[in-house]
Amino acid sequence: MDTSYTKNIKEEALKVIKQIDNSENPNLQILRRSLNNVFFDEDKRIIKLGDKKETRNYFNINQAKKFMQTIKILAQINENLQKKTPNISTRQLFYMTRGIIENSDEECFEDQSESDPIIEDVEVVLDTLREELGLIATPDGYFVGDIKVKDLVTGDLLDYTKMGSGGGAIPAIVEKDVYEIVECKAKFVVVLEKFAVWNILNQTKFWKKHNCIILTGKGQAGRSARRLLTRLSKEMKLPVYVLTDLDPWGYYIYSVYKQGSISLAYFSEKSSVPTAKYIGMTTRDIIKYKIPKSSWMKLKDIDYKRIKEIKKYDWFQAKEWQEELTRLEDFKYKVESDAFVTKSVDFVVNEYLPDKIKRQDFLP
Amino acid sequence: MGNEITRAHELAEDHKEISVAEFFEKNKHLLGYENLQKSLLTCVREAVDNSLDACEEMHVLPDIYVELKKIKENRFKFTIEDNGPGIVKEHIANIFGKLLYGSKFHKLQQSRGQQGIGISASVLYSQLTTGKDTKIYSKIGDGKVHVYELHIDTKTNAPVISKEHTIYGNGRGTRIEMEVKGKYMKGKRSIFDYLQQTAVMNPATKLVYLDPEGKKHLFDRAVTKLAKRPKEIKPHISGIELGTLKKMLKITNARNIVSFITTEFSRLGKQTADQIIIGAEVDPKLSPKNLTFNEMEALIESIERTKVSNPPTDCLSPVGETAIEKGIKKELHPEFVATITRKPAVYRGNPFQIEVGIGYGGDLDKEGQATIMRFANRVPLLYEQAACALTKSLMQTEWKRYGLSQVGTSIPTGPVIFTIHMISVWVPYTSEGKEAVASYPDIIKEVKLGLQDAGRKMQVYLSRKKRASDIEEKKETFRKYIPEIASALSRITGNDAKGIKDKLNKDLEGRVESLEVKTEQYDDLELNKGKTEKEEIEEVTEELKEEMTEKEE
């Protein structure tokens, strides 16, 4: 693995040792990942982490254990990188760093909820992504289309036109050095919130007919699905269109693909598609395509509350979005993309998507 | 007519036949003899209070020996001996054999003798319950011991001396032996409890107690200086009640109302007296005996309107903060004691003074409610705790503020002892039982202020103590993680783990000072920071949750 990370870890550790030698309060400087250090970069149009740092001191009663945990995780990651162990999950790392503290009955980590935030800390301290530190999040996404990739871990050449009805699973790590795009003939990407919709498009070979890639992150997208989409957009210059449910949650899923999320703001720079467009559903589509009323569901209080929240986000300030959110409030119903089948099973395949893309009828 | 006279004579005969014994029998609940347990206690209390008062009057450090011997079921022999002045021969018989003889009843002076009606009642109780005489030994320092055996003639309220002789003996003091019916109990309101509380508030006293089980208890002297004797004073005019005024007007030798006011009351000059009289529109030349009811009322009203100087406070003799602290420490062994002697104050014209002590931790019982010891003029009040103004003031104080746990307005809980001492020439009691102080607002206020003063002292101690244990706890936390950090750093860098560990441990020891200072300085900041951090975490968690639910959808 990349030795530059082991070098960085060693540098951090030596810094701490030097502080100890100088009788300073041993500390690590960590970018704050809390809401007050998250902002929307208007130029790059992504959610970003600010530069506010917090000092994690050892001789501070609230931080002592966290400090110890951070050093321990650094040591374990360092060891894994040096030994070139296969990529492991955050849960596996949790088990590797567990253990009873000497002369006590206290665990170094009580449960995974203690080690996960430390992993995020380490990512920002080393200014990298966990994927590059040999750590994986459980992947949860599929895609097919005219694209060929070489998996450098296994050495396999993957042809995503031949993935059958199950489609191609998005691996946990899709970084260039292990997952090399060899060829891409597809002209654009359609992202589907729902696996069920993606499934119909795959079975009907929508991607072949329109020469595109269809991808689903199965709901809120995981890290590798977002990373892959970013690479397709940035490296292959493919336009990206997103289809979600007609409800505030669907809108937000789109915005995460496009601008990133608050909780993983430090991840946005490397996983966001500011050029992505929103296909739908929109409130206007419901009328225009005469989506039957049997597929409408009443908006609940929690939905209205979410609409109000989203309306306030900096990245939803475009006029079109503000209007759409107001229309949704007035419309009083939400419509799941699964519900398109009430019109007809192939409606989304043969009518809705081709029509919307042809007319470039998108929200920004 | 003749018949009626006879009837009246008959009635008069009936009246005469109500003997002292009957009076005692009917009123024994007022006199402290309502049950066997309390009766035994009352006998001891009367005798001990007398001994203490006598010693203090002579300015002798009290040395008192109390013995209770069980003779048979519910029958005890009670013996008390002191090193007081003794009693001159001529007075012995009357003091012990005549009810209400030489009582301190009309004297305006801070004294103990407000409980019961005196030692002669014990003598009566003894003879009524056992038929035995009381034996008295008195030495006044002339090399002789006068020994009397006596009881009271219940019809004439006069002593009946059955034996009397004089032997030779040195020193001074009085010894009393009596046999009484009683019930011996342990625990709260026991004789031990009473003696121990007496020892707390009378730290210059040495008490030895031999209990019915043959166990000897020593309540030793903690200070060797007696408090100054309180002075006798005249009544103070403010707060005087109509009945008292009427009585005083009747017995005064003053020839006119002006001289009545200036001579019969404490600290009143002619100017103030004139002011009162003008205010009441009464003729200043009027003889006090000729005042009408309306004029008396006008006088009272005018007194209430007139500003008069406070009564002198040299009539009060507090125990003192140091002495009470020693008293609490020697008897109860708490780890910390705070004591407060308030400045004298006045309720209804009566000067009074409050002394508060709080003991915390150490040998005190950690379970349940705090112990409250109430005192009036150094005498423990053992009964009617709930009705007492001293208890009420304590319950109305917010103890949480001073670091104790308390549910609503109740007695706080924890290893705590409170001593509340009220000193006054006239302690107002709620009832004839003289066990609870009446709830005058001025008294409640003073007690509360005293409790708060002492509470603040205790709180400083408690927070200092907490800080010390906090520091130790912090140190322990820091110490705990050092080996993990050292080994992790060593794994990354290859540096020697032991070196890192030793350096960190050394550093930790050096940091203790700064740890403490930092906690004090940054307490607030840390708290605020922690709060916002927590809020932030909550916000972020909320976001994550939302994303999770989205994912599920």
Side-chain angles (χ1 to χ4, degrees):
Chain A
M1 289 294 272
D2 196 341
T3 50
S4 75
Y5 294 117
T6 54
K7 215 178 110 200
N8 286 354
I9 292 173
K10 193 171 178 182
E11 266 170 27
E12 288 295 327
L14 286 171
K15 242 193 267 174
V16 172
I17 290 177
K18 200 177 164 198
Q19 289 160 356
I20 294 172
D21 285 339
N22 293 342
S23 297
E24 290 165 28
N25 195 343
N27 68 79
L28 292 163
Q29 302 286 323
I30 299 167
L31 269 182
R32 296 185 81 132
R33 284 173 289 103
S34 49
L35 201 56
N36 66 9
N37 197 30
V38 168
F39 72 100
F40 182 59
D41 185 328
E42 296 280 353
D43 294 337
K44 291 186 175 171
R45 306 219 49 86
I46 55 171
I47 297 166
K48 273 175 73 175
L49 210 55
D51 51 10
K52 283 183 208 157
K53 282 189 175 177
E54 78 177 27
T55 305
R56 179 164 298 164
N57 286 309
Y58 181 59
F59 289 118
N60 174 323
I61 202 69
N62 298 324
Q63 300 174 344
K65 186 166 189 184
K66 269 193 188 169
F67 182 90
M68 177 275 286
Q69 290 173 330
T70 315
I71 301 284
K72 262 204 104 164
I73 296 250
L74 277 172
Q76 192 58 52
I77 289 174
N78 186 58
E79 219 163 275
N80 292 355
L81 289 175
Q82 279 178 340
K83 287 186 187 162
K84 301 187 177 174
T85 54
N87 298 325
I88 57 168
S89 72
T90 51
R91 183 144 194 89
Q92 285 166 322
L93 184 71
F94 159 67
Y95 278 115
M96 290 177 96
T97 51
R98 257 188 117 205
I100 302 282
I101 293 164
E102 238 179 87
N103 298 325
S104 80
D105 51 4
E106 193 179 325
E107 285 278 1
C108 282
F109 295 90
E110 291 298 335
D111 54 49
Q112 204 187 331
S113 68
E114 283 188 12
S115 62
D116 281 356
I118 305 271
I119 293 168
E120 290 176 15
D121 290 340
V122 167
E123 286 177 78
V124 298
V125 165
L126 301 175
D127 190 21
T128 182
L129 298 179
R130 68 182 61 175
E131 286 78 0
E132 314 216 37
L133 298 175
L135 287 170
I136 55 166
T138 312
D140 209 356
Y142 298 91
F143 77 113
V144 287
D146 196 347
I147 181 169
K148 289 188 182 68
V149 178
K150 183 149 194 202
D151 187 323
L152 298 175
V153 178
T154 59
D156 299 327
L157 185 69
L158 308 166
D159 181 350
Y160 285 89
T161 60
K162 292 178 174 137
M163 289 292 165
S165 47
I170 301 171
I173 299 186
V174 293
E175 301 312 311
K176 235 185 209 169
D177 52 355
V178 291
Y179 196 72
E180 187 191 335
I181 300 172
V182 183
E183 185 188 278
C184 177
K185 287 184 181 158
K187 295 292 175 228
F188 61 94
V189 187
V190 177
V191 178
L192 295 315
E193 176 189 345
K194 291 288 173 69
F195 178 80
V197 181
W198 178 88
N199 190 40
I200 290 178
L201 296 187
N202 187 29
Q203 284 181 45
T204 55
K205 297 229 172 182
F206 175 88
W207 54 270
K208 196 165 191 180
K209 190 171 170 191
H210 296 279
N211 194 21
C212 64
I213 291 167
I214 54 168
L215 180 151
T216 179
K218 291 171 78 182
Q220 180 63 60
R223 294 171 64 109
S224 64
R226 285 171 60 192
R227 265 301 281 158
L228 177 61
L229 190 66
T230 305
R231 287 191 65 200
L232 292 175
S233 164
K234 290 202 175 136
E235 289 169 32
M236 301 296 123
K237 312 279 181 221
L238 302 184
V240 172
Y241 311 125
V242 182
L243 172 65
T244 72
D245 294 346
L246 170 59
D247 60 25
W249 318 96
Y251 296 162
Y252 189 74
I253 285 173
Y254 162 67
S255 83
V256 171
Y257 276 117
K258 188 177 164 88
Q259 288 111 349
S261 70
I262 297 166
S263 54
L264 291 180
Y266 66 93
F267 184 58
S268 300
E269 194 109 38
K270 286 174 176 164
S271 62
S272 57
V273 186
T275 56
K277 299 274 189 288
Y278 186 69
I279 297 178
M281 289 296 281
T282 65
T283 45
R284 284 180 166 158
D285 291 345
I286 302 297
I287 312 302
K288 188 159 183 267
Y289 297 97
K290 300 189 176 68
I291 305 299
K293 215 173 167 180
S294 58
S295 61
W296 303 5
M297 305 263 265
K298 271 214 167 95
L299 283 172
K300 291 176 188 160
D301 287 348
I302 186 170
D303 299 319
Y304 286 112
K305 200 182 148 228
R306 188 66 181 147
I307 292 171
K308 283 207 172 62
E309 278 171 8
I310 285 179
K311 251 188 172 175
K312 283 188 208 132
Y313 289 152
D314 288 342
W315 49 100
F316 272 98
Q317 291 310 313
K319 195 174 146 239
E320 295 90 330
W321 272 111
Q322 289 290 316
E323 284 171 3
E324 172 65 8
L325 286 162
T326 309
R327 277 197 300 271
L328 181 61
E329 275 174 324
D330 296 342
F331 180 53
K332 294 188 174 63
Y333 289 93
K334 55 184 173 184
V335 182
E336 271 194 286
S337 44
D338 308 72
F340 289 159
V341 292
T342 54
K343 182 100 177 152
S344 75
V345 176
D346 65 347
F347 162 69
V348 69
V349 186
N350 294 327
E351 194 181 341
Y352 182 69
L353 283 179
D355 189 45
K356 291 276 296 194
I357 293 166
K358 194 179 145 206
R359 293 193 299 104
Q360 294 280 296
D361 180 14
F362 304 130
L363 283 178
Chain B
M1 276 293 265
N3 275 347
E4 276 169 29
I5 290 164
T6 316
R7 181 73 190 127
H9 278 290
E10 273 173 19
L11 280 171
E13 284 297 312
D14 282 353
H15 281 301
K16 272 184 194 159
E17 274 176 19
I18 296 174
S19 66
V20 172
E22 269 179 277
F23 172 80
F24 181 85
E25 199 51 49
K26 282 195 175 123
N27 294 289
K28 62 181 183 184
H29 60 287
L30 304 180
L31 309 173
Y33 297 89
E34 63 252 51
N35 59 51
L36 289 182
Q37 189 198 343
K38 198 173 174 188
S39 298
L40 190 61
L41 176 65
T42 300
C43 291
V44 175
R45 281 169 82 165
E46 293 288 1
V48 171
D49 288 352
N50 278 352
S51 290
L52 287 172
D53 263 343
C55 288
E56 279 170 19
E57 231 162 287
M58 270 285 285
H59 226 83
V60 175
L61 289 171
D63 243 319
I64 299 173
Y65 173 78
V66 173
E67 182 186 323
L68 270 183
K69 214 163 135 189
K70 190 171 174 177
I71 291 168
K72 57 180 185 188
E73 190 62 27
N74 290 346
R75 179 77 73 95
F76 294 89
K77 184 179 179 193
F78 163 50
T79 306
I80 178 165
E81 193 173 328
D82 66 40
N83 62 337
I87 302 160
V88 290
K89 192 172 179 296
E90 295 73 34
H91 284 308
I92 296 173
N94 277 336
I95 285 176
F96 290 90
K98 197 174 173 76
L99 288 173
L100 295 172
Y101 177 84
S103 149
K104 302 152 192 160
F105 215 72
H106 301 293
K107 212 161 141 188
L108 269 181
Q109 184 180 28
Q110 171 194 333
S111 68
R112 293 189 172 78
Q114 287 193 1
Q115 312 290 318
I117 55 167
I119 192 74
S120 50
S122 305
V123 174
L124 182 58
Y125 175 76
S126 160
Q127 78 190 50
L128 288 175
T129 54
T130 67
K132 295 275 173 79
D133 282 4
T134 296
K135 195 168 183 180
I136 300 121
Y137 300 77
S138 169
K139 300 181 285 184
I140 57 166
D142 57 0
K144 290 173 191 158
V145 186
H146 302 290
V147 186
Y148 276 78
E149 282 178 48
L150 55 79
H151 63 268
I152 300 173
D153 181 334
T154 53
K155 279 193 181 138
T156 58
N157 185 23
V160 179
I161 299 159
S162 48
K163 274 183 199 160
E164 180 200 343
H165 61 282
T166 303
I167 53 173
Y168 294 100
N170 288 326
R172 294 168 208 256
T174 309
R175 177 185 171 99
I176 307 166
E177 295 173 10
M178 56 172 72
E179 223 174 288
V180 291
K181 206 173 161 187
K183 197 170 176 186
Y184 176 73
M185 301 275 275
K186 289 184 186 177
K188 273 198 170 176
R189 295 191 283 273
S190 63
I191 286 161
F192 176 86
D193 190 18
Y194 158 75
L195 291 174
Q196 189 182 43
Q197 292 199 27
T198 302
V200 166
M201 205 46 71
N202 298 270
T205 303
K206 182 182 171 188
L207 265 166
V208 176
Y209 169 44
L210 192 63
D211 74 16
E213 289 162 2
K215 208 173 148 196
K216 195 171 163 187
H217 307 273
L218 168 68
F219 306 94
D220 210 352
R221 216 188 308 282
V223 295
T224 51
K225 209 179 150 218
L226 280 170
K228 66 175 171 60
R229 279 304 288 168
K231 287 198 175 125
E232 205 175 326
I233 56 157
K234 289 173 186 164
H236 194 255
I237 199 159
S238 67
I240 191 162
E241 278 153 7
L242 193 62
T244 320
L245 181 67
K246 205 170 157 186
K247 215 184 297 167
M248 288 175 77
L249 285 166
K250 201 173 277 173
I251 58 168
T252 183
N253 294 323
R255 290 167 62 191
N256 61 50
I257 200 79
V258 179
S259 70
F260 166 73
I261 292 176
T262 52
T263 55
E264 296 292 337
F265 293 99
S266 106
R267 270 197 186 171
L268 259 179
K270 191 170 177 307
Q271 217 178 339
T272 319
D274 287 342
Q275 220 180 315
I276 292 170
I277 288 159
I278 291 163
E281 294 174 357
V282 185
D283 180 4
K285 291 194 193 78
L286 210 60
S287 162
K289 302 209 164 44
N290 296 338
L291 246 66
T292 65
F293 186 77
N294 284 344
E295 281 166 334
M296 284 184 214
E297 272 196 325
L299 211 54
I300 294 260
E301 276 166 30
S302 178
I303 287 165
E304 275 168 13
R305 284 196 304 269
T306 311
K307 201 174 174 289
V308 294
S309 54
N310 278 334
T313 51
D314 53 0
C315 58
L316 300 172
S317 166
V319 177
E321 291 175 359
T322 320
I324 296 180
E325 182 179 334
K326 284 185 177 164
I328 295 174
K329 274 190 177 156
K330 77 169 169 107
E331 289 305 328
L332 305 157
H333 317 293
E335 60 185 53
F336 171 79
V337 177
T339 52
I340 289 291
T341 297
R342 295 279 305 165
K343 285 205 183 89
V346 176
Y347 82 92
R348 297 206 67 110
N350 295 303
F352 76 100
Q353 198 166 5
I354 295 296
E355 294 187 288
V356 168
I358 305 181
Y360 182 91
D363 285 357
L364 298 175
D365 192 359
K366 285 179 187 64
E367 301 297 320
Q369 287 186 334
T371 308
I372 303 172
M373 293 186 177
R374 297 168 295 130
F375 301 88
N377 293 340
R378 304 180 190 198
V379 176
L381 306 177
L382 298 181
Y383 289 83
E384 293 184 58
Q385 175 169 294
C388 184
L390 309 184
T391 315
K392 284 182 195 165
S393 313
L394 186 135
M395 286 164 75
Q396 286 165 17
T397 305
E398 254 189 74
W399 289 103
K400 276 183 196 159
R401 216 184 271 175
Y402 305 108
L404 298 180
S405 41
Q406 182 185 28
V407 183
T409 52
S410 64
I411 296 168
T413 53
V416 190
I417 163 101
F418 293 96
T419 66
I420 309 174
H421 183 202
M422 166 149 184
I423 309 149
S424 181
V425 293
W426 194 254
V427 177
Y429 291 103
T430 53
S431 65
E432 300 88 334
K434 292 179 179 172
E435 295 283 0
V437 175
S439 299
Y440 285 93
D442 288 329
I443 296 176
I444 296 219
K445 186 182 145 205
E446 270 303 303
V447 176
K448 275 192 187 170
L449 288 173
L451 286 166
Q452 286 166 1
D453 285 349
R456 269 189 292 277
K457 282 193 190 177
M458 173 181 63
Q459 200 226 347
V460 170
Y461 171 77
L462 287 180
S463 57
R464 202 175 288 155
K465 186 181 163 185
K466 190 173 176 298
R467 196 171 299 141
S469 81
D470 282 355
I471 287 173
E472 201 31 59
E473 212 173 284
K474 278 185 187 174
K475 262 173 75 178
E476 198 43 53
T477 306
F478 292 134
R479 209 174 282 136
K480 191 166 55 188
Y481 302 136
I482 285 175
E484 293 286 345
I485 290 175
S487 102
L489 286 173
S490 158
R491 271 161 66 198
I492 299 172
T493 60
N495 286 24
D496 174 35
K498 197 178 171 296
I500 302 171
K501 197 168 113 180
D502 291 347
K503 183 74 180 73
L504 270 173
N505 274 323
K506 201 181 143 210
D507 211 27
L508 170 62
E509 289 310 316
R511 268 177 194 274
V512 174
E513 271 314 287
S514 63
L515 279 180
E516 175 168 36
V517 177
K518 266 186 184 157
T519 337
E520 270 178 59
Q521 271 180 350
Y522 299 123
D523 248 352
D524 264 347
L525 276 175
E526 253 177 38
L527 211 72
N528 292 338
K529 206 174 135 201
K531 205 178 164 189
T532 35
E533 242 178 33
K534 204 183 154 201
E535 276 169 2
E536 286 165 9
I537 288 167
E538 272 168 9
E539 276 169 356
V540 173
T541 319
E542 201 54 42
E543 280 290 336
L544 278 172
K545 252 190 225 158
E546 275 168 18
E547 291 194 6
M548 291 294 279
T549 43
E550 286 160 19
K551 208 166 182 179
E552 276 161 23
E553 281 176 8

